[in-house]
Amino acid sequence: MLEETVQKLHLEIPELELQRNQLVYGDQQRNWTAVVEYFHTFRFGIPMTPEGQLTLTSRQEETDMSEQLSLLRSTIAPDVILGELRGVESLVEQWRRYSSYFEDLHFQLGSIQRASDTLLTVVASLGVTVSDATLSSVFPHLLDQGEDITDKDVKAMATATSIGTKLLGQRLLLPCSICFEWDAASCRVVRLETTLNLVAPLIRVLGNVVDAAAALEHALIRPDGGIGQIKGGQMWTPVDNCS
């Protein structure tokens, strides 16, 4: 009787291993698919005007926006961690800002690596064109401050506005890495953290480190990708969030 039971258990082992592998690798495949869909759905940001208003002037734009919201609801946890920020609403707001502050946004997936069963690290790029809205919303310190400056600051302001003039209309290709961490129970992303490299693209466009540093010194964009007026946050130093 005992031998029959043992033999039966041995026969069940391959089936149990198959079921386990289907569960494990099925989740991993779903995670990979979710990342690919995220990049595809937000490849052009969201349809915004430079004033920060949704355009939705065509049925296609309405469809795209509907798909974006549907993806976020099904894939991202409501209280997802976004570096210094929290929540899906913050994620949507960040996409709104990127899409209205820059022109011709193109978010492109490079490669995906599995760090663990619940963590994927992604290498990507964000292509953007610097517009007037970029200068006023991201680099306001590079704009002419008019009469609100002292004679002592005139030279510094001339340098700053010169940098702004160089930036205007330039195409920036920003390398970035993103960590997608899933909660195994809910099968949703609970941490989505970004590391954005704006230093190298600015050096390439401006031609030197000094001007790039001046552009970044008071820029309203952080290494973790946070853009616009955000309380707190780190200055421009290398960051590794995938740990």
Side-chain angles (χ1 to χ4, degrees), residues 37-113:
E37 288 181 352
Y38 180 79
F39 274 86
H40 176 74
T41 304
F42 287 94
R43 64 194 183 282
F44 301 127
I46 56 179
M48 304 294 298
T49 67
E51 293 75 27
Q53 302 297 318
L54 285 170
T55 55
L56 301 183
T57 55
S58 68
R59 180 169 296 180
Q60 182 60 51
E61 287 179 337
E62 291 181 1
T63 300
D64 290 345
M65 188 65 184
S66 177
E67 289 178 354
Q68 289 170 340
L69 294 176
S70 177
L71 176 69
L72 293 179
R73 292 192 190 103
S74 63
T75 306
I76 310 295
D79 57 348
V80 61
I81 297 172
L82 309 164
E84 299 288 335
L85 302 174
R86 297 290 187 278
V88 172
E89 293 81 3
S90 294
L91 179 58
V92 173
E93 173 61 18
Q94 285 295 294
W95 272 116
R96 185 193 70 78
R97 293 182 184 185
Y98 271 99
S99 301
S100 58
Y101 293 173
F102 294 101
E103 292 181 351
D104 303 323
L105 184 150
H106 188 203
F107 190 42
Q108 186 169 4
L109 174 63
S111 62
I112 306 175
Q113 289 189 334

Coordinates of all heavy atoms in Angstrom, one line a residue, residues 37-113:
E37 N 3.3 46.8 -23.4 CA 2.0 47.5 -23.6 C 2.1 48.9 -23.0 O 1.6 49.9 -23.6 CB 0.9 46.8 -23.0 CG 0.5 45.5 -23.7 CD -0.7 44.8 -23.1 OE1 -1.1 45.2 -22.0 OE2 -1.2 43.9 -23.7
Y38 N 2.8 49.1 -21.9 CA 2.9 50.4 -21.3 C 3.7 51.3 -22.2 O 3.3 52.5 -22.4 CB 3.7 50.3 -19.9 CG 3.9 51.6 -19.2 CD1 2.9 52.2 -18.5 CD2 5.1 52.2 -19.3 CE1 3.1 53.4 -17.8 CE2 5.4 53.4 -18.6 CZ 4.3 54.0 -17.9 OH 4.6 55.2 -17.2
F39 N 4.8 50.8 -22.8 CA 5.6 51.7 -23.7 C 4.8 52.0 -25.0 O 4.9 53.1 -25.5 CB 6.9 51.0 -24.0 CG 8.0 51.3 -23.0 CD1 8.1 50.5 -21.8 CD2 8.9 52.3 -23.2 CE1 9.1 50.8 -20.9 CE2 9.8 52.6 -22.2 CZ 9.9 51.9 -21.1
H40 N 4.1 51.0 -25.5 CA 3.4 51.2 -26.7 C 2.2 52.2 -26.5 O 2.0 53.1 -27.3 CB 2.7 49.9 -27.2 CG 1.9 50.0 -28.4 ND1 2.4 50.2 -29.7 CD2 0.5 50.0 -28.5 CE1 1.4 50.3 -30.5 NE2 0.2 50.2 -29.8
T41 N 1.6 52.1 -25.4 CA 0.4 53.0 -25.1 C 0.8 54.4 -24.8 O 0.1 55.3 -25.2 CB -0.4 52.4 -23.9 OG1 -0.8 51.1 -24.1 CG2 -1.6 53.2 -23.6
F42 N 2.0 54.6 -24.2 CA 2.5 55.9 -23.9 C 3.6 56.4 -24.8 O 4.4 57.3 -24.4 CB 2.9 56.0 -22.4 CG 1.7 56.0 -21.5 CD1 1.3 54.8 -20.9 CD2 1.1 57.2 -21.2 CE1 0.2 54.8 -20.0 CE2 0.0 57.2 -20.3 CZ -0.4 56.0 -19.7
R43 N 3.8 55.8 -26.0 CA 4.9 56.1 -26.8 C 4.9 57.5 -27.3 O 6.0 58.1 -27.6 CB 4.9 55.1 -28.0 CG 3.7 55.3 -29.0 CD 3.7 54.1 -29.9 NE 2.6 54.2 -30.9 CZ 1.3 53.9 -30.6 NH1 1.0 53.6 -29.4 NH2 0.4 54.0 -31.6
F44 N 3.7 58.1 -27.4 CA 3.7 59.6 -27.8 C 3.1 60.4 -26.6 O 2.6 61.5 -26.9 CB 2.8 59.7 -29.0 CG 3.3 59.0 -30.2 CD1 2.4 58.1 -30.9 CD2 4.6 59.1 -30.6 CE1 2.9 57.4 -32.0 CE2 5.1 58.3 -31.7 CZ 4.2 57.5 -32.4
G45 N 3.2 59.9 -25.4 CA 2.7 60.7 -24.3 C 1.2 60.6 -24.3 O 0.6 59.6 -24.7
I46 N 0.5 61.7 -23.8 CA -0.9 61.8 -23.9 C -1.2 63.1 -24.7 O -0.4 64.0 -24.7 CB -1.6 61.8 -22.5 CG1 -1.0 63.0 -21.7 CG2 -1.4 60.5 -21.8 CD1 -1.7 63.0 -20.3
P47 N -2.4 63.1 -25.4 CA -2.7 64.2 -26.3 C -3.0 65.5 -25.5 O -4.0 65.7 -24.9 CB -4.0 63.8 -27.0 CG -4.6 62.7 -26.1 CD -3.4 62.1 -25.4
M48 N -1.9 66.4 -25.5 CA -2.0 67.6 -24.7 C -1.7 68.8 -25.6 O -0.9 68.7 -26.5 CB -1.1 67.6 -23.5 CG -1.3 66.4 -22.6 SD -2.8 66.5 -21.7 CE -2.7 68.0 -20.8
T49 N -2.2 70.0 -25.2 CA -1.7 71.3 -25.8 C -0.6 71.8 -24.9 O -0.5 71.4 -23.8 CB -2.9 72.3 -25.9 OG1 -3.2 72.7 -24.5 CG2 -4.1 71.7 -26.5
P50 N 0.2 72.8 -25.4 CA 1.2 73.4 -24.6 C 0.7 74.1 -23.4 O 1.4 74.3 -22.4 CB 1.8 74.4 -25.6 CG 1.6 73.9 -26.9 CD 0.2 73.2 -26.8
E51 N -0.6 74.4 -23.4 CA -1.3 75.0 -22.2 C -1.7 74.0 -21.2 O -2.2 74.3 -20.1 CB -2.5 75.9 -22.6 CG -2.1 77.1 -23.4 CD -1.8 76.7 -24.9 OE1 -2.3 75.7 -25.4 OE2 -1.0 77.5 -25.5
G52 N -1.5 72.7 -21.5 CA -1.8 71.6 -20.5 C -3.2 71.1 -20.6 O -3.7 70.5 -19.7
Q53 N -3.9 71.4 -21.8 CA -5.3 70.9 -21.9 C -5.3 69.7 -22.8 O -4.5 69.6 -23.8 CB -6.1 72.0 -22.6 CG -6.2 73.3 -21.8 CD -6.8 73.1 -20.4 OE1 -7.8 72.4 -20.3 NE2 -6.2 73.7 -19.4
L54 N -6.2 68.7 -22.5 CA -6.4 67.6 -23.3 C -6.9 68.0 -24.7 O -7.8 68.9 -24.8 CB -7.3 66.6 -22.7 CG -6.8 65.7 -21.5 CD1 -8.0 65.0 -20.9 CD2 -5.8 64.7 -22.0
T55 N -6.4 67.5 -25.8 CA -6.9 67.9 -27.1 C -8.1 67.0 -27.5 O -9.2 67.5 -27.7 CB -5.7 67.7 -28.2 OG1 -5.2 66.4 -28.1 CG2 -4.6 68.7 -27.9
L56 N -7.9 65.7 -27.6 CA -9.0 64.8 -27.9 C -9.8 65.3 -29.1 O -11.0 65.3 -29.0 CB -9.9 64.5 -26.7 CG -9.2 63.9 -25.5 CD1 -10.2 63.6 -24.4 CD2 -8.4 62.6 -25.9
T57 N -9.1 65.8 -30.1 CA -9.8 66.4 -31.3 C -10.2 65.3 -32.3 O -10.9 65.6 -33.3 CB -8.9 67.4 -32.0 OG1 -7.7 66.8 -32.3 CG2 -8.7 68.6 -31.0
S58 N -9.8 64.1 -32.1 CA -10.2 63.0 -33.0 C -10.6 61.8 -32.3 O -10.3 61.6 -31.1 CB -9.0 62.7 -34.0 OG -8.0 62.1 -33.2
R59 N -11.3 60.9 -33.0 CA -11.7 59.7 -32.4 C -10.5 58.8 -32.0 O -10.6 58.1 -31.0 CB -12.6 58.9 -33.4 CG -13.1 57.6 -32.8 CD -14.2 57.0 -33.7 NE -15.4 57.9 -33.7 CZ -16.5 57.6 -34.4 NH1 -16.6 56.5 -35.1 NH2 -17.5 58.4 -34.4
Q60 N -9.5 58.9 -32.8 CA -8.3 58.1 -32.4 C -7.7 58.6 -31.1 O -7.2 57.8 -30.3 CB -7.2 58.3 -33.6 CG -5.9 57.5 -33.3 CD -6.2 56.0 -33.2 OE1 -6.9 55.4 -34.1 NE2 -5.7 55.3 -32.2
E61 N -7.6 59.9 -30.9 CA -7.1 60.4 -29.6 C -7.9 60.0 -28.5 O -7.4 59.7 -27.4 CB -7.0 62.0 -29.7 CG -5.8 62.4 -30.6 CD -5.8 64.0 -30.7 OE1 -6.8 64.6 -30.4 OE2 -4.7 64.5 -31.0
E62 N -9.2 60.0 -28.6 CA -10.1 59.5 -27.6 C -9.9 58.1 -27.3 O -9.9 57.6 -26.1 CB -11.6 59.7 -28.0 CG -12.0 61.2 -28.1 CD -13.5 61.4 -28.4 OE1 -14.1 60.3 -28.6 OE2 -13.9 62.5 -28.6
T63 N -9.7 57.3 -28.3 CA -9.4 55.8 -28.2 C -8.1 55.6 -27.4 O -8.0 54.8 -26.5 CB -9.4 55.1 -29.5 OG1 -10.6 55.3 -30.2 CG2 -9.1 53.6 -29.4
D64 N -7.1 56.4 -27.8 CA -5.7 56.3 -27.2 C -5.8 56.6 -25.7 O -5.2 55.9 -24.9 CB -4.7 57.2 -27.9 CG -4.4 56.7 -29.3 OD1 -4.7 55.6 -29.6 OD2 -3.8 57.5 -30.1
M65 N -6.5 57.7 -25.4 CA -6.6 58.1 -24.0 C -7.4 57.0 -23.2 O -7.0 56.7 -22.1 CB -7.4 59.4 -23.9 CG -7.4 60.0 -22.5 SD -5.7 60.4 -21.9 CE -6.0 61.0 -20.3
S66 N -8.4 56.4 -23.8 CA -9.2 55.4 -23.1 C -8.3 54.2 -22.9 O -8.4 53.6 -21.8 CB -10.4 55.0 -24.0 OG -11.1 54.0 -23.4
E67 N -7.5 53.8 -23.8 CA -6.6 52.7 -23.7 C -5.5 53.0 -22.6 O -5.2 52.1 -21.8 CB -5.9 52.4 -25.0 CG -6.8 51.8 -26.0 CD -6.0 51.5 -27.4 OE1 -4.9 52.0 -27.4 OE2 -6.6 50.9 -28.3
Q68 N -5.1 54.2 -22.5 CA -4.1 54.5 -21.5 C -4.7 54.4 -20.1 O -4.0 53.8 -19.2 CB -3.6 56.0 -21.7 CG -2.7 56.1 -22.9 CD -2.4 57.5 -23.3 OE1 -3.1 58.4 -22.9 NE2 -1.3 57.7 -24.1
L69 N -5.8 54.9 -19.9 CA -6.5 54.9 -18.6 C -6.8 53.4 -18.2 O -6.7 53.0 -17.1 CB -7.8 55.7 -18.6 CG -7.5 57.2 -18.7 CD1 -8.9 58.0 -18.8 CD2 -6.7 57.8 -17.5
S70 N -7.3 52.7 -19.2 CA -7.6 51.2 -19.0 C -6.4 50.5 -18.6 O -6.4 49.6 -17.6 CB -8.2 50.6 -20.2 OG -8.5 49.3 -20.0
L71 N -5.2 50.7 -19.2 CA -4.0 50.0 -18.9 C -3.5 50.4 -17.5 O -3.1 49.5 -16.7 CB -2.9 50.4 -19.9 CG -1.5 49.9 -19.6 CD1 -1.5 48.4 -19.8 CD2 -0.4 50.5 -20.5
L72 N -3.6 51.6 -17.1 CA -3.2 52.0 -15.8 C -4.0 51.4 -14.7 O -3.5 50.9 -13.7 CB -3.2 53.6 -15.6 CG -2.2 54.4 -16.5 CD1 -2.4 55.8 -16.3 CD2 -0.8 53.9 -16.2
R73 N -5.3 51.4 -14.9 CA -6.3 50.8 -13.9 C -6.0 49.3 -13.7 O -6.1 48.7 -12.6 CB -7.7 51.0 -14.3 CG -8.2 52.4 -14.3 CD -9.7 52.5 -14.5 NE -10.1 53.9 -14.6 CZ -10.5 54.4 -15.8 NH1 -10.5 53.6 -16.9 NH2 -10.9 55.6 -15.9
S74 N -5.7 48.6 -14.8 CA -5.5 47.1 -14.8 C -4.1 46.7 -14.4 O -3.9 45.6 -13.9 CB -5.9 46.5 -16.1 OG -5.0 47.0 -17.1
T75 N -3.1 47.6 -14.6 CA -1.7 47.2 -14.4 C -1.1 47.8 -13.2 O -0.2 47.2 -12.5 CB -0.9 47.5 -15.7 OG1 -1.6 46.9 -16.8 CG2 0.5 47.0 -15.5
I76 N -1.4 49.0 -12.9 CA -0.7 49.8 -11.9 C -1.5 49.9 -10.6 O -2.7 50.2 -10.6 CB -0.4 51.3 -12.4 CG1 0.2 51.2 -13.7 CG2 0.4 52.0 -11.4 CD1 1.6 50.6 -13.8
A77 N -0.9 49.7 -9.4 CA -1.5 49.8 -8.1 C -1.9 51.2 -7.9 O -1.2 52.1 -8.2 CB -0.6 49.3 -7.0
P78 N -3.1 51.5 -7.2 CA -3.5 52.9 -7.0 C -2.5 53.7 -6.2 O -2.4 54.9 -6.4 CB -4.8 52.7 -6.2 CG -5.3 51.3 -6.5 CD -4.0 50.5 -6.8
D79 N -1.7 53.1 -5.3 CA -0.8 53.8 -4.5 C 0.7 53.5 -4.9 O 1.6 53.5 -4.1 CB -0.9 53.4 -3.0 CG -0.8 51.9 -2.8 OD1 -0.8 51.2 -3.8 OD2 -0.7 51.5 -1.6
V80 N 0.9 53.3 -6.2 CA 2.2 52.9 -6.8 C 3.2 54.0 -6.3 O 3.0 55.2 -6.2 CB 2.1 52.9 -8.3 CG1 1.7 54.2 -8.9 CG2 3.4 52.4 -8.9
I81 N 4.4 53.5 -6.1 CA 5.6 54.3 -5.7 C 6.3 54.8 -6.9 O 6.7 54.0 -7.8 CB 6.6 53.6 -4.8 CG1 5.9 53.1 -3.5 CG2 7.8 54.4 -4.5 CD1 6.7 52.2 -2.6
L82 N 6.4 56.2 -7.0 CA 7.0 56.8 -8.2 C 8.2 57.7 -7.7 O 8.2 58.9 -7.9 CB 6.0 57.6 -9.0 CG 4.7 56.9 -9.3 CD1 3.7 58.0 -9.7 CD2 4.9 55.9 -10.5
G83 N 9.2 57.1 -7.1 CA 10.3 57.9 -6.5 C 9.7 58.7 -5.4 O 9.3 58.2 -4.4
E84 N 9.8 60.1 -5.5 CA 9.3 60.9 -4.5 C 7.7 61.1 -4.5 O 7.1 61.6 -3.6 CB 9.9 62.4 -4.7 CG 11.4 62.4 -4.6 CD 11.9 62.2 -3.2 OE1 11.1 62.5 -2.2 OE2 13.0 61.8 -3.0
L85 N 7.1 60.6 -5.6 CA 5.7 60.7 -5.7 C 5.0 59.4 -5.4 O 5.6 58.3 -5.4 CB 5.4 61.2 -7.2 CG 6.0 62.5 -7.6 CD1 5.7 62.8 -9.1 CD2 5.5 63.6 -6.7
R86 N 3.7 59.5 -5.3 CA 2.8 58.3 -5.0 C 1.5 58.4 -5.8 O 1.0 59.5 -6.0 CB 2.5 58.2 -3.5 CG 3.7 58.0 -2.6 CD 4.3 56.6 -2.7 NE 5.3 56.4 -1.7 CZ 6.6 56.8 -1.8 NH1 6.9 57.5 -2.9 NH2 7.4 56.5 -0.9
G87 N 1.1 57.2 -6.3 CA -0.3 57.1 -6.8 C -0.4 57.3 -8.3 O 0.4 57.9 -9.0
V88 N -1.4 56.6 -8.9 CA -1.7 56.7 -10.3 C -2.0 58.1 -10.8 O -1.6 58.5 -11.9 CB -2.9 55.7 -10.7 CG1 -3.3 55.9 -12.1 CG2 -2.5 54.3 -10.4
E89 N -2.7 58.9 -9.9 CA -3.0 60.3 -10.3 C -1.7 61.0 -10.6 O -1.6 61.9 -11.5 CB -3.8 60.9 -9.2 CG -5.2 60.4 -9.0 CD -5.2 59.1 -8.2 OE1 -4.2 58.7 -7.7 OE2 -6.3 58.5 -8.0
S90 N -0.7 60.8 -9.7 CA 0.6 61.5 -9.9 C 1.3 61.0 -11.2 O 1.9 61.9 -11.9 CB 1.5 61.2 -8.7 OG 1.0 61.8 -7.5
L91 N 1.1 59.8 -11.5 CA 1.7 59.3 -12.8 C 1.0 59.9 -14.0 O 1.7 60.3 -14.9 CB 1.5 57.7 -12.8 CG 2.1 57.0 -14.1 CD1 3.6 57.3 -14.3 CD2 1.8 55.5 -14.0
V92 N -0.3 60.0 -14.0 CA -1.0 60.7 -15.1 C -0.6 62.1 -15.2 O -0.4 62.7 -16.3 CB -2.5 60.5 -14.9 CG1 -3.3 61.4 -15.9 CG2 -2.9 59.1 -14.9
E93 N -0.5 62.8 -14.0 CA -0.1 64.2 -14.0 C 1.3 64.4 -14.6 O 1.6 65.4 -15.3 CB -0.1 64.8 -12.6 CG 0.4 66.2 -12.4 CD -0.3 67.2 -13.2 OE1 -1.5 66.9 -13.6 OE2 0.2 68.3 -13.4
Q94 N 2.2 63.5 -14.3 CA 3.6 63.6 -14.8 C 3.6 63.4 -16.4 O 4.2 64.1 -17.1 CB 4.5 62.5 -14.2 CG 4.9 62.9 -12.8 CD 5.8 64.1 -12.7 OE1 6.9 64.2 -13.2 NE2 5.2 65.2 -12.1
W95 N 2.8 62.5 -16.8 CA 2.6 62.3 -18.3 C 2.0 63.5 -18.9 O 2.4 64.0 -20.0 CB 1.8 61.1 -18.6 CG 2.6 59.8 -18.7 CD1 2.5 58.7 -17.9 CD2 3.6 59.6 -19.7 NE1 3.5 57.8 -18.3 CE2 4.2 58.3 -19.4 CE3 4.2 60.3 -20.7 CZ2 5.2 57.7 -20.1 CZ3 5.2 59.7 -21.5 CH2 5.7 58.4 -21.2
R96 N 1.0 64.1 -18.2 CA 0.4 65.4 -18.7 C 1.5 66.5 -18.9 O 1.5 67.2 -19.9 CB -0.7 65.8 -17.8 CG -1.5 67.0 -18.3 CD -2.3 67.6 -17.2 NE -1.5 68.3 -16.2 CZ -1.0 69.5 -16.3 NH1 -1.1 70.2 -17.5 NH2 -0.2 70.0 -15.4
R97 N 2.3 66.6 -17.9 CA 3.3 67.7 -17.9 C 4.3 67.4 -19.0 O 4.7 68.3 -19.8 CB 4.0 67.7 -16.6 CG 3.1 68.2 -15.4 CD 3.9 68.4 -14.1 NE 3.0 68.7 -13.0 CZ 3.4 69.0 -11.8 NH1 4.7 68.9 -11.5 NH2 2.6 69.4 -10.9
Y98 N 4.8 66.2 -19.1 CA 5.8 65.9 -20.2 C 5.2 66.2 -21.6 O 5.9 66.7 -22.5 CB 6.3 64.4 -20.1 CG 7.5 64.2 -19.2 CD1 7.3 63.7 -17.9 CD2 8.7 64.4 -19.7 CE1 8.4 63.5 -17.1 CE2 9.9 64.2 -18.9 CZ 9.7 63.8 -17.6 OH 10.8 63.6 -16.8
S99 N 3.9 65.8 -21.7 CA 3.3 65.9 -23.0 C 3.0 67.4 -23.4 O 2.9 67.7 -24.6 CB 2.0 65.1 -23.1 OG 2.3 63.7 -22.8
S100 N 2.8 68.2 -22.4 CA 2.5 69.6 -22.7 C 3.8 70.5 -22.6 O 3.8 71.5 -23.3 CB 1.5 70.2 -21.7 OG 1.9 70.0 -20.4
Y101 N 4.8 70.1 -21.8 CA 6.0 70.9 -21.7 C 6.9 70.7 -22.9 O 7.7 71.6 -23.2 CB 6.7 70.6 -20.4 CG 6.0 70.9 -19.1 CD1 6.5 70.5 -17.9 CD2 4.8 71.7 -19.1 CE1 5.9 70.8 -16.7 CE2 4.2 72.0 -18.0 CZ 4.7 71.6 -16.8 OH 4.1 71.9 -15.6
F102 N 6.9 69.6 -23.5 CA 7.8 69.3 -24.7 C 6.9 69.0 -25.9 O 5.7 68.8 -25.9 CB 8.6 68.0 -24.4 CG 9.6 68.2 -23.3 CD1 9.3 67.6 -22.0 CD2 10.8 68.8 -23.5 CE1 10.3 67.7 -21.0 CE2 11.7 68.9 -22.5 CZ 11.5 68.4 -21.2
E103 N 7.6 69.1 -27.1 CA 7.0 68.8 -28.3 C 7.6 67.5 -28.9 O 8.7 67.1 -28.5 CB 7.2 69.9 -29.4 CG 6.5 71.2 -29.0 CD 6.8 72.3 -30.1 OE1 7.6 72.0 -31.0 OE2 6.1 73.3 -30.0
D104 N 6.8 66.8 -29.7 CA 7.2 65.6 -30.4 C 7.8 64.5 -29.5 O 8.8 64.0 -29.7 CB 8.2 65.9 -31.5 CG 7.7 66.9 -32.5 OD1 6.5 66.9 -32.8 OD2 8.5 67.8 -32.9
L105 N 7.1 64.3 -28.4 CA 7.5 63.3 -27.4 C 7.5 61.9 -28.0 O 6.5 61.5 -28.7 CB 6.7 63.3 -26.2 CG 7.0 62.4 -25.0 CD1 6.6 63.1 -23.7 CD2 6.4 61.1 -25.1
H106 N 8.6 61.1 -27.8 CA 8.6 59.7 -28.3 C 9.3 58.9 -27.2 O 10.5 59.0 -26.9 CB 9.3 59.6 -29.6 CG 9.3 58.2 -30.2 ND1 10.2 57.7 -31.1 CD2 8.3 57.2 -30.0 CE1 9.8 56.5 -31.4 NE2 8.7 56.2 -30.8
F107 N 8.5 58.0 -26.6 CA 9.0 57.1 -25.5 C 9.2 55.8 -26.1 O 8.3 55.1 -26.5 CB 7.9 57.1 -24.4 CG 8.2 56.4 -23.1 CD1 9.4 56.7 -22.5 CD2 7.3 55.6 -22.5 CE1 9.8 56.1 -21.3 CE2 7.6 55.0 -21.3 CZ 8.8 55.3 -20.7
Q108 N 10.5 55.3 -26.1 CA 10.8 54.1 -26.8 C 11.5 53.1 -25.9 O 12.5 53.4 -25.2 CB 11.8 54.4 -28.0 CG 12.0 53.2 -28.9 CD 12.7 53.6 -30.2 OE1 13.1 54.8 -30.4 NE2 12.9 52.7 -31.1
L109 N 11.0 51.9 -26.0 CA 11.5 50.7 -25.2 C 12.8 50.3 -25.9 O 12.9 50.1 -27.1 CB 10.5 49.6 -25.2 CG 10.9 48.3 -24.6 CD1 11.3 48.4 -23.1 CD2 9.9 47.2 -24.8
G110 N 13.8 50.0 -25.0 CA 15.1 49.5 -25.5 C 15.2 48.0 -25.2 O 15.1 47.2 -26.1
S111 N 15.4 47.7 -24.0 CA 15.5 46.3 -23.6 C 14.9 46.0 -22.2 O 14.7 47.0 -21.4 CB 17.0 45.9 -23.5 OG 17.7 46.6 -22.6
I112 N 14.6 44.8 -21.9 CA 14.0 44.4 -20.7 C 14.9 43.3 -20.0 O 15.3 42.3 -20.7 CB 12.6 43.9 -20.8 CG1 11.7 44.9 -21.6 CG2 11.9 43.5 -19.5 CD1 10.3 44.4 -21.9
Q113 N 15.1 43.4 -18.8 CA 15.9 42.4 -18.0 C 15.1 42.0 -16.8 O 14.5 42.9 -16.1 CB 17.3 42.8 -17.7 CG 18.2 42.9 -18.9 CD 19.6 43.2 -18.4 OE1 19.9 43.7 -17.4 NE2 20.6 42.8 -19.3

